[in-house]
Amino acid sequence: QRPTSQNDEFVVIVGSSGVGKTTLANRFEKFVTDTGGIFISGKFDQLKQSVPFPAISCAFNEYCNFLVSDVGSRESVEIATTLRESFGPDACYLAKLIPNLSMIFGDFDDCDDVNDCVNAEKRLQYLLCRFVEIISSFSPHPIVLFLDDLQWADKASINLLSQLLVESRFSRFLIVGACRDDEMGHDHPIWHMVSTVRNLGMKAMIVKTSLLDK
């Protein structure tokens, strides 16, 4: 219920493989959708850690599907219009990461190639933050972004999550992750992100599945 009245928040479900993280996440998804919220999800892959934003791309593709399925509502029309006006020619770069945006924007002209990988990643990070700002600001429903297997998150995704949380300007938007903490060292970037968020006075909750039955 918290995303309806507070700014963004980060929740991490931790536990070893097979202890019930996925079951807990599935129950949470049912609660979110039964109460009118939007639940989108993505899963990181150990073999795709060199690919930027894989799980986030999957989740936002889901959101585009939801927006198209709800096309008749005033809110969906407003969100789609604002996305078009906000991104303009830059939309083609975001559509490379979120292909289902073409269902909202239509076909895109070819983007100019960005040979500098660092600048390309920074451009995408900015566009993704703007995307989240728009959909969370105009949506009448709380949005939950669930990311599984955070222990395998790529560097670009961790940087994006950090920026989303640190900027803390998104209402009705909750980020939930799940990870196998027994496969992560104390110096894992996710723990550094949690520490940074907490040091800035924002909320980062750790849910240990091993303690749920106690």
Side-chain angles (χ1 to χ4, degrees), residues 26-37:
N26 289 340
R27 290 179 179 176
F28 182 48
E29 177 181 6
K30 186 178 186 303
F31 172 80
V32 171
T33 55
D34 285 352
T35 54

Side-chain angles (χ1 to χ4, degrees), residues 75-111:
E75 293 84 3
S76 293
V77 171
E78 187 175 23
I79 292 171
T81 300
T82 305
L83 287 171
R84 291 191 196 97
E85 293 175 349
S86 177
F87 290 119
D90 283 340
C92 64
Y93 296 103
L94 196 57
K96 288 185 176 182
L97 186 67
I98 311 174
N100 286 352
L101 270 178
S102 62
M103 296 188 299
I104 300 171
F105 292 110
D107 294 332
F108 293 95
D109 296 328
D110 290 337
C111 297

